[in-house]
Amino acid sequence: MSLTYAYFKRLDYFSTECIYSPNAYRGFAREFIKDLERLRPRAVLDIIRSGENFRISTTAKMPEQGTCERCGYISSQKWCKACVLLDGLNRGLPKLGIGRSHGVIGASGDRNERNGGKTIESKQCGTLDF
């Protein structure tokens, strides 16, 4: 399509491959699907059928959209993951905002005292202390 457009508009057209495309994940997924098809020709149809039959439980609790109490950005938790991660970095706990949180944000105690009494509530979003 773009080649045709360039031709009719008399534009110079050159085609180059994106330098990141050889390492793109979709290439690995494409090769995996092709390998599956070689082993079982109906693999793609089976994948499609399983997706059509996929059901979400009606009893599953879906997260509710809210806002971060600290920065006001969209979050389903009390604080967004960016604020949690920044708080962890400021307190010397870089893995705090990674993975599932277990209610350690804003906790008082020796962590809070080591950081000079600063908590997540007392900082602006996007600030780091070193």
Side-chain angles (χ1 to χ4, degrees):
M1 181 73 168
S2 59
L3 179 62
T4 307
Y5 178 82
Y7 175 77
F8 284 112
K9 291 291 187 177
R10 298 183 193 276
L11 300 172
D12 291 334
Y13 182 83
F14 62 94
S15 176
T16 60
E17 184 178 10
C18 174
I19 61 170
Y20 300 107
S21 65
N23 296 324
Y25 186 74
R26 68 177 176 263
F28 296 111
R30 185 181 300 120
E31 286 301 315
F32 178 71
I33 297 292
K34 286 180 181 179
D35 291 343
L36 279 176
E37 266 190 308
R38 276 188 221 106
L39 296 173
R40 182 182 171 135
R42 293 187 46 93
V44 173
L45 293 174
D46 291 341
I47 292 170
I48 293 169
R49 188 177 330 114
S50 67
E52 290 172 344
N53 293 332
F54 189 79
R55 302 270 190 261
I56 297 175
S57 172
T58 56
T59 60
K61 182 183 173 200
M62 299 300 286
E64 294 180 19
Q65 181 176 323
T67 56
C68 175
E69 289 181 0
R70 190 160 155 235
C71 69
Y73 195 70
I74 297 169
S75 177
S76 61
Q77 304 294 320
K78 190 173 182 178
W79 293 292
C80 69
K81 285 293 186 182
C83 289
V84 172
L85 182 59
L86 284 172
D87 183 60
L89 291 170
N90 286 330
R91 292 195 284 161
L93 303 167
K95 291 188 179 182
L96 184 65
I98 301 171
R100 297 197 180 264
S101 58
H102 296 288
V104 294
I105 301 307
S108 61
D110 51 304
R111 276 192 230 147
N112 198 12
E113 292 166 9
R114 274 191 315 201
N115 199 19
K118 294 180 182 176
T119 64
I120 193 166
E121 292 91 359
S122 66
K123 296 183 183 273
Q124 276 191 327
C125 188
T127 60
L128 285 173
D129 291 339
F130 292 102

